[in-house]
Amino acid sequence: MSNENIKKQYNLKIKELDKHNKLYYNDSKPIISDSKYDKLKNEILDLEKKHKFLRNKKSPSKKVGYKSSKSFEKYLHKVPMLSLSNAFNEEDLKNFEKKIVNFLNKNLRFDYSVEPKIDGISASLTYKNKKLTYGVSRGDGKVGEIITENLKTIKDIPQIINYPNFPDEIEIRGEVFIKKNDFLKFQNDFANPRNAASGTLRQKDPNETKKIPLNFIAYTFGYVKNNPFKFQSDYLNELKNWGFKINKNNRLLPNIKELVKFHKKFEDTRFDLDYDVDGLVYKINDLELQNRLGFTSNAPRWAIAHKFSADSATTKILNIEIQVGRTGALTPVAKVEPVNIGGVVVSNVTLHNEDEIVRKDIRVEDVVKIERAGDVIPHVIAVDKSKRNKNLDRFIFPTKCPSCGSDTFKEYNEITKKYDAVRRCNNDGYGCERIAIEKMKHFISKEALNIEGFGKKVVEKFWNLKLIKKPQDIFNLNFKRIENQEGWGKLSVSNLKNSIENSKKVSLKRFIYSLGIRHIGIENSKLISENIKNISNLIIIIKKKKFEKFLNIDGIGETQIKSLKNFFSIQSNINIVEELNSILKIQSEEVNKNGIFRNKKFMFTGKLNGLSRAEAKSLIEKNSGVTLSNVGKNLDYLIAGDKPTKRKIDQARSLGIKIISQEELIKLLN
Ligand code: IVH
């Protein structure tokens, strides 16, 4: 047989094996017996043994398992697994601390628990009666996947804990990672150590997970029954006693000055470590304070990740493309000669905006130094002008939208008296192809409708097939047509149908966010949804254009109001909201309705003592109460602090509303 024929035969077998891998690992529907599968695999290995030229990356000898499985059982985290906000310098840290002090409204002294931020995959381990009962991945932070058996293959994870006073139920959280040295053996299978850890954890067969030496370092907890701990540092020590690994480089430090000093020192030596770290995590050590500070919608107020500065490399700009984003922003992206930065191959680099190109005078064919930090998109630090070819032309930024040809504009900021650095497409949204596609991607994204199996690529594909033009089209898809597309079949279409159906039940917060209104991110959507309660109220406000009402909400300002007005000045956006409302089941925000302040309305006047308004408000809301910003007859309590506004006190008196002090409020709570 000629080499060509041998290769053909080999490729056919590989294709066949791939098909069965997918059926087994991804779809859980094997159609051949294990022995037939093994036979096929051995035939491939035999061919490779006889004909060395066949060996390649696709070989089953090189591959570990198959692509990760999509079908793990889901698990609702008792306490969400959130992410961390980032700090890049001392300024950011000072701001972080300032916000804490403002929130607690007192100059308290507190220590920081300092922990290296390992760049791996977080996992949550639930122990009930000293036994590991659930091992779960982070997932989207709210719902994870049950990967207990895979986690059990990790030697650092104890399955039974024999220690007196170990809590009856505790969720121990930490990072799963692969050591740099161990990763060397699997370089052909995964792009970087982090991917190796995540791919390995998502194998259907725990024996596949076992093939790769994973490690686990514990650093926090989720739900704990009768939590006995007062300090994070105590908890970390106890973890060690229980038999978990904790990081040897953990520290307890008293202030920002010391944090910065330690960060500098640690950054220089981090390459000597046997695992990837991308920064340090600082947590307020006092758990009582952590509890008071609580969370914003995706990160705790009491912790921050102080990232290490980035790795850099030199490369050449091949071309500059203009991408149009969801809000019409024209973002220049440089296509560069691929370079490896810290284990990741970079071929796209953001140039941010028009002003940045002018400021740095970036031109096509320039040699540039680029930088990449953690999950931040790589960017240009400087152009090496000594290497510039004399006759390179300046880059001319387009004045028309490259997608729809509309005029573009730069916004004028009344407050700073400056034009925005970003140029935007003038189109009102769904009339510009790229904006429309990006809006749809936002609509299906995790924090919005979160339609499983309906990713960004699917949006592009369905758009090209003219199956979707507006978000509501998603709920009226031609499934017959989809079934006939390459890569789709009965099973995947039926899964898609289900996940679309499931996504119809959506909270008001996610719904507002899903509309993709500029300046209305998830946090502001939450504030608005808590304020207006239900979709009918929202529609009334939209129709009457009474957005000023939202100025009463702490956190919503003129910028957001202006953006809402702009968005809803377009009739098609109002139509979208109404049509979606008739399709979806938009639910008012789940709040604890049964707290002691159920149906009670509060308002503040004057300065509180040792507690900020924000914290007092969050205390009231935690107990099902509501805070208002105007005195009216429906108010139940006016909380009067130092130097209250006389007019408010008088109004409350005349309406017979109870006026209470801060101490009385705390008493009510107790
Ligand atoms: S605490 C709510 N501690 O960083 C607090 N996280 O961006 C978040 N991570 O998903 C978790 N080292 O995967 C915490 N010592 C540490 C950590 C750590 C690494 C990861 C973790 C998390 C991500 C947050």
Side-chain angles (χ1 to χ4, degrees), residues 102-192:
N102 281 344
F103 191 91
L104 299 170
N105 209 12
K106 212 173 189 182
N107 252 328
L108 293 169
R109 223 208 61 71
F110 42 77
D111 292 321
Y112 288 101
S113 170
V114 178
E115 304 155 22
K117 185 169 184 295
I118 299 179
D119 194 11
I121 296 295
S122 51
S124 162
L125 311 168
T126 296
Y127 289 83
K128 279 190 193 166
N129 304 322
K130 307 195 172 194
K131 220 177 122 202
L132 175 61
T133 47
Y134 281 108
V136 186
S137 70
R138 177 173 183 270
D140 65 0
K142 284 198 174 134
V143 178
E145 288 174 322
I146 302 178
I147 47 170
T148 319
E149 293 312 310
N150 291 351
L151 286 167
K152 277 185 180 168
T153 66
I154 301 176
K155 61 181 184 338
D156 299 339
I157 296 183
Q159 296 186 29
I160 290 181
I161 294 184
N162 277 319
Y163 195 83
N165 297 333
F166 184 75
D168 291 344
E169 182 175 343
I170 181 167
E171 217 185 307
I172 290 169
R173 293 177 178 177
E175 205 76 357
V176 175
F177 61 98
I178 177 168
K179 289 190 179 162
K180 284 191 218 163
N181 262 338
D182 290 329
F183 175 68
L184 296 178
K185 286 170 243 156
F186 303 100
Q187 283 193 80
N188 290 333
D189 303 308
F190 304 102
N192 53 48

Side-chain angles (χ1 to χ4, degrees), residues 82-84 115-118 122 138 175 219-220 281 283 300:
L82 300 171
S83 54
L84 290 165
E115 304 155 22
K117 185 169 184 295
I118 299 179
S122 51
R138 177 173 183 270
E175 205 76 357
Y219 51 63
T220 192
V281 182
K283 301 173 183 169

Side-chain angles (χ1 to χ4, degrees), residues 481-499:
R481 232 184 115 198
I482 297 170
E483 210 177 291
N484 295 327
Q485 300 300 319
E486 205 192 305
W488 289 88
K490 274 209 163 47
L491 180 70
S492 46
V493 164
S494 129
N495 286 342
L496 181 70
K497 251 189 208 165
N498 279 338
S499 47

